[in-house]
Each structure stands twice: as C-alpha cells, then as structure tokens.
Amino acid sequence: MPDGPMPAPAGPRVSVIVTAWNVAPYIETALQSVLDADLDRPEIVVVDDGSSDETCARIDAVIRRNKDRAIWRPVYLASNTQGGVGAAANIGLDEAHGDAIVFLDGDDWLDPTILRRAVHRLDRSGADMLFTDCLDFLAPEGRMIPYPDARLWQEAEGAPTAHALRSALLQFAPMPWRKIYRRAFLEREKIRFHVGDYFFEDTVHHWDAVLAARRIALMRAPLHAHRVGSEGQTIAGRGRKFLAIFGHHDRIRESLVRRDVLAEHAPDLAAWLIRHAWWAAERIDAPGLYAFYDAARRRFAVHDPLQLDLALQEAHLPPRAAALLAALIEGD
C-alpha cells in the first residue's frame, strides 16, 4: 500500500455546455453529437431554460441511456430567463469543471470528429481559445451551406500581427459555438455573457474574449452546424427588437474604453457598426424606422467620419444601403 492519501481523481478534460429551450425535436441529436466524439467521459452541462414542451423528458432519456458515457449535470430552470441564452450559458459556466469549454445550442449539433481534433489542437497550441468554422443548416430545405466568413478567414490566417488577427476575428459572427475556450482563461478574465432585456447576447461576449485573449489559435474546419429557419428563432420576423444592436455597440465601446484600447480598435468598431446598422435597417418595421434613424445617428456621431467612410467602402453594400449609411455619416 502506498503511503499518504490517494490522489484525487482528475477532473473532466472537456465541459460541453448545452443550452436548451423548447427544442424537443432536436435535443437528442445535439447531445448525441457530443457523445459520438468519444472524449473520455466529457462533462455535459445541460441547462434547460424553462421549456414547456418535452425537452426535459428527452434530456432525461438520453442521460438514462448513456449514464456512464459522460459526467451529466442537468439544470432545469423553472421559467424562461430574459435576454436569450445569456443567463442559461452563465449558469452552465458556473457548473462546469472541465479544462476546456465548448458551447452548443440545443437545436444545433457538433461534428464529433472535428470536435475531438479541435480539443487536441487547443491542448497543443497553448492558446486561450480556438476559433473553428461552422455551417448553416437550412432547415426548410434540408441542406448545408458554408458560413459566409471566407474572406475573414483569409485575413485571419494571413494576419501578420496579433493586432491584425484580433481585428479580423472581431468581424466574425460572434456565436460562442464556433470557439473552444480554456476555462482558466474565462475565469482569469471574468468573462461571462451580458444578461438583460435584449438578444444577441453573444456579441459583447465575443468582443470581450477576443480582446482579452493572450493567444488565439485557428482551425478552419466546420465544427458546428447551425440550424437556420426553425420556428421562433431570434433573427426571424421584423420589428423594433433589432434596435438592440445599438445597445451592443455601446457596451462594446465601453469595454474598449475600460481596456484602454479604444483608439486601437475604433476602426474595427466602425466596421462592425456599418454592417450591423444596415442589417438592422432591413429588419425594422415601418413604425420603428424613426427610432432606427435616431439610434443610428447618435452612434455614428461618436465615430471618426473618415473611419466610417472607409468602413462603408470596404463593406461593399448595395447602392441603396450605401446611400442611406452615407447620409447617416453626414448626420443627414
């Protein structure tokens, strides 16, 4: 018998945080995609955000069938939280113990082979986080298409400096599912999702993580499949809810000021504002247009017009969009 106490068992290497709300038809596929990666008993933290369908029952069924294949930590909230998946994702982070953190929406899925490769890549890289690629699954048509990030990937992979890499990554779609994070990095930098009465809660989280990471690794392989066109998705419909992007602009700018990098990344924020202002303009309903113009004008006014002009030229928007945004830049 060896002397002294037995060493404590090692904690899980990977924690996958699955957020779910009324995704009963899809949740089993999501969970199975994690199990199929054979990650040596990953920790799977499933946070159900107050579903009113059979989501929780189907989660329980998967756990019963696969009890020994993962460390299961189901969390069932009594009611739906406000502001997208932010609160549920934060609960998942508080419950997670793994060295690496992966996020997954309950109606999406991961490529098991690429997930296994990505975890190994992060291990070997020594980076704080790893960026991967993703695919859109057009649910009504039943087909996959590449995510429109090809130009940005070329910029990121060819970036000559850490600053240039960050500038490219800040323009990527912000979803957390395409990244794998070291939990120690998230805890060191106190990075959590912003929670409030708005959506696209991953936008500010994305900027916080990219700006705080000391080293970022890339793996241009489609880890994540994002289901598009399902009923009730955030980007569906029209209305004033899309004005939320201007609040995100303000929070991002506050973060840049707090980190004392506003001058360094002001052109990146200008480029982000140009693209997202037009994206929102296409989705605002007619009664909300005056509120849109007012919100957009006030945000454009805090930027250098020359930086906005350059961002507009590089955005290659349709002529109507370019004319509208040029008027906003001029305060017209």
Side-chain angles (χ1 to χ4, degrees):
M1 293 285 293
D3 295 332
M6 294 291 290
R13 184 172 164 217
V14 181
S15 293
V16 182
I17 298 171
V18 185
T19 52
W21 180 65
N22 286 349
V23 290
Y26 316 118
I27 187 63
E28 293 173 269
T29 297
L31 296 175
Q32 191 63 47
S33 72
V34 179
L35 293 170
D36 288 347
D38 293 328
L39 290 174
D40 188 20
R41 293 195 77 222
E43 178 182 60
I44 303 179
V45 183
V46 194
V47 183
D48 179 80
D49 201 359
S51 289
S52 57
D53 65 359
E54 296 297 312
T55 298
C56 295
R58 298 196 182 191
I59 293 170
D60 288 339
V62 174
I63 293 175
R64 285 195 301 272
R65 292 195 304 267
N66 301 277
K67 187 175 181 180
D68 296 328
R69 295 184 64 188
I71 301 168
W72 295 96
R73 299 192 189 279
V75 179
Y76 299 146
L77 304 181
S79 59
N80 186 240
T81 60
Q82 198 175 51
V85 303
N90 286 342
I91 290 170
L93 279 170
D94 291 340
E95 293 288 326
H97 300 80
D99 297 326
I101 298 290
V102 181
F103 289 98
L104 175 61
D105 265 10
D107 58 348
D108 298 339
W109 68 94
L110 302 170
D111 182 300
T113 301
I114 294 175
L115 174 57
R116 191 164 55 248
R117 286 172 47 203
V119 169
H120 290 314
R121 175 73 64 88
L122 180 65
D123 279 348
R124 294 194 303 269
S125 70
D128 285 328
M129 58 193 295
L130 170 76
F131 266 72
T132 68
D133 208 350
C134 51
L135 298 169
D136 273 345
F137 174 67
L138 304 182
E141 304 170 30
R143 66 187 180 95
M144 308 286 285
I145 61 172
Y147 207 81
D149 278 338
R151 177 185 61 82
L152 293 173
W153 272 105
Q154 293 169 6
E155 290 183 15
E157 291 175 327
T161 64
H163 176 264
L165 174 60
R166 283 192 174 85
S167 292
L169 294 178
L170 289 173
Q171 304 307 320
F172 272 59
M175 54 270 206
W177 331 301
R178 72 185 309 166
K179 313 177 190 86
I180 301 182
Y181 306 86
R182 289 195 191 276
R183 186 167 64 89
F185 158 62
L186 297 177
E187 297 303 322
R188 181 187 79 220
E189 300 295 335
K190 298 180 173 57
I191 294 176
R192 288 293 188 271
F193 291 88
H194 290 241
V195 178
D197 188 12
Y198 55 84
F199 57 93
F200 301 143
E201 63 291 327
D202 47 6
T203 299
V204 183
H205 184 273
H206 173 77
W207 279 69
D208 284 344
V210 171
L211 293 172
R214 295 170 182 168
R215 184 177 175 190
I216 302 171
L218 305 176
M219 189 176 109
R220 193 175 179 179
L223 169 65
H224 178 264
H226 174 47
R227 189 181 301 271
V228 178
S230 299
E231 185 178 349
Q233 285 192 310
T234 298
I235 60 172
R238 300 176 66 84
R240 294 193 181 201
K241 65 180 182 180
F242 297 99
L243 293 171
I245 65 106
F246 295 114
H248 290 322
H249 168 274
D250 297 345
R251 278 176 278 274
I252 291 170
R253 193 171 189 276
E254 289 166 5
S255 179
L256 294 176
V257 171
R258 186 174 64 253
R259 297 176 185 278
D260 196 24
V261 293
L262 177 60
E264 185 179 350
H265 288 288
D268 301 321
L269 184 55
W272 183 93
L273 179 61
I274 287 288
R275 291 186 297 106
H276 285 77
W278 177 245
W279 181 89
E282 291 188 301
R283 291 161 175 80
I284 300 291
D285 56 9
L289 285 176
Y290 284 110
F292 166 80
Y293 293 136
D294 179 61
R297 247 195 321 263
R298 286 188 284 115
R299 273 63 182 200
F300 278 54
V302 304
H303 286 271
D304 182 337
L306 294 178
Q307 291 181 349
L308 289 170
D309 281 333
L310 180 59
L312 182 57
Q313 294 172 31
E314 294 179 345
H316 302 295
L317 296 176
R320 173 171 167 264
L324 169 65
L325 295 181
L328 287 170
I329 292 172
E330 295 170 6
D332 183 357

